Amino acid sequence: MQLVGQRGPLIGMGQLFVQLLNNEGPRSLYLGLSPALTRSVLYGGLRLGLYEPSKYASDLVFGSTNIFVKIGSGAISGAVATALTNPVEVLKVRLQMNPNSTRGPIKEMSKIISEEGLKALWKGVGPAMARAGALTASQLATYDEAKQVLVKWTPLEEGFPLHLISSTVAGVVSTLMTTPIDMVKTRLMLQRESKRAGSYKSGLHCAYQVIRTEGPLALYKGGLAIFARLGPQTTITFIVCEKLRQLAGLNAI
């Protein structure tokens, strides 16, 4: 967000962390928490809940659950979940870019609708769906496949060590796959907040402009920060999910 938000010279994650604490206080690290938690419950539940039915349906149709079926099932479940929850993601990003705003999530959403129209809540939904499809496909398919490979070629059996290693692998792969899409999605969602970002016409145009003006590596801006969040999140998600499935009497993923 740095270049778009024009908050000052570009700095790394550590410096930015200190700068936020000094300039805006600890509260700034939790801007947009309410919509972030709301989205986590809805989006996380939908994408994980839709994966198994999608895989089961593909098995009935194609008679197989190979890696391509897993990728397709993950992509569908992630894209559908994001299409339904995009408004809270837009709200979260807007709140994070307005640290001095005294409006809560409901008032901020009303402001967006009144000034920009209802369609503004689905800004960046295309890249967001692409990002969610790539994220869910890479996370779930990698986790699923990694578990099978580890069970086959190592002494590991179903349990915490297997879930931990498989989910860590999934976190690394998903970060590499989704960071460029995530950056484009964020730029599009911030268009109203920045004159500079207003020149982006679509996801592809945004990616082209970023590469042309900032270089190809700019697509991986914030990659370390994304992994710092996505890595532990992926690990915790799968370990908790597997435990809940076990308690509910369901088979492991």
Side-chain angles (χ1 to χ4, degrees):
M1 297 182 190
Q2 286 187 79
L3 186 60
V4 175
Q6 297 174 337
R7 287 190 166 195
L10 300 181
I11 54 176
M13 186 173 69
Q15 288 176 286
L16 183 59
F17 180 83
V18 174
Q19 188 183 86
L20 281 170
L21 286 177
N22 291 337
N23 297 343
E24 301 172 30
R27 179 179 170 275
S28 66
L29 299 174
Y30 289 91
L31 288 171
L33 180 63
S34 296
L37 289 173
T38 303
R39 181 182 179 274
S40 291
V41 172
L42 298 174
Y43 167 71
L46 281 169
R47 74 188 188 96
L48 287 172
L50 290 171
Y51 177 69
E52 287 293 323
S54 298
K55 196 168 73 167
Y56 178 71
S58 299
D59 189 23
L60 290 178
V61 174
F62 302 109
S64 172
T65 54
N66 59 33
I67 184 64
F68 299 108
V69 168
K70 292 172 185 175
I71 291 172
S73 300
I76 291 169
S77 59
V80 170
T82 291
L84 297 173
T85 60
N86 198 73
V88 286
E89 176 71 5
V90 171
L91 186 60
K92 182 197 74 171
V93 171
R94 293 294 181 88
L95 287 171
Q96 288 174 335
M97 289 303 291
N98 288 287
N100 298 320
S101 174
T102 56
R103 292 184 297 269
I106 302 300
K107 288 184 178 179
E108 183 69 27
M109 182 172 283
S110 299
K111 175 179 174 286
I112 293 171
I113 294 172
S114 63
E115 293 184 1
E116 304 171 50
L118 190 63
K119 289 174 67 176
L121 295 176
W122 273 270
K123 273 187 177 178
V125 70
M129 289 177 68
R131 185 255 184 193
L135 172 66
T136 309
S138 57
Q139 272 187 338
L140 286 163
T142 302
Y143 177 77
D144 205 341
E145 199 68 17
K147 274 183 67 178
Q148 287 190 8
V149 170
L150 287 169
V151 168
K152 183 177 180 180
W153 296 102
T154 70
L156 290 172
E157 297 180 352
E158 195 67 45
F160 179 77
L162 178 64
H163 301 160
L164 179 62
I165 296 171
S166 301
S167 58
T168 301
V169 173
V172 173
V173 173
S174 59
T175 300
L176 292 172
M177 292 288 291
T178 60
T179 297
I181 307 172
D182 199 38
M183 202 275 282
V184 170
K185 177 205 72 170
T186 302
R187 289 282 179 98
L188 287 173
M189 287 180 175
L190 286 171
Q191 286 196 94
R192 178 76 177 188
E193 301 299 318
S194 169
K195 293 178 182 178
R196 180 160 192 163
S199 59
Y200 301 141
K201 299 173 184 177
S202 66
L204 288 175
H205 181 250
C206 177
Y208 168 74
Q209 287 289 91
V210 169
I211 293 171
R212 189 174 69 85
T213 59
E214 302 171 45
L217 289 178
L219 291 175
Y220 279 89
K221 274 182 180 177
L224 182 59
I226 288 174
F227 178 72
R229 178 184 65 83
L230 196 57
Q233 182 197 49
T234 302
T235 303
I236 293 167
T237 297
F238 282 121
I239 289 174
V240 173
C241 183
E242 292 281 24
K243 190 62 179 177
L244 290 174
R245 290 178 70 88
Q246 181 186 350
L247 291 172
L250 298 171
N251 292 329
I253 294 175

